[in-house]
Amino acid sequence: MKELQAAVIGSELLQRERGIAPRHRLEFDPQSGELRLRPRDEAPRAHATPVDQIASDGFA
């Protein structure tokens, strides 16, 4: 299961790199230390940091 999730997350990152509109929001969950995919139409989780925000604001 983790291999499948890693492949999907990799695909989402590749889409961003190519300038293609991503299908999901990619968030970093500090509680689990993992990247998670969320549908774009769902609200972000309160404790999660959007990956796009990490790219612009820095990880710390």
Side-chain angles (χ1 to χ4, degrees):
M1 178 69 180
K2 285 197 175 210
E3 292 84 15
L4 177 60
Q5 185 173 355
V8 174
I9 288 172
S11 174
E12 289 288 325
L13 291 171
L14 191 57
Q15 285 182 347
R16 284 170 171 75
E17 182 180 319
R18 292 180 177 165
I20 300 169
R23 298 176 306 222
H24 299 91
R25 180 179 27 260
L26 190 55
E27 298 176 337
F28 174 74
D29 183 346
Q31 293 177 337
S32 68
E34 296 180 340
L35 291 174
R36 305 226 181 229
L37 292 173
R38 307 258 314 150
R40 284 219 163 272
D41 57 348
E42 286 185 19
R45 295 183 182 208
H47 64 277
T49 304
V51 169
D52 295 334
Q53 182 180 341
I54 291 172
S56 63
D57 297 347
F59 189 70

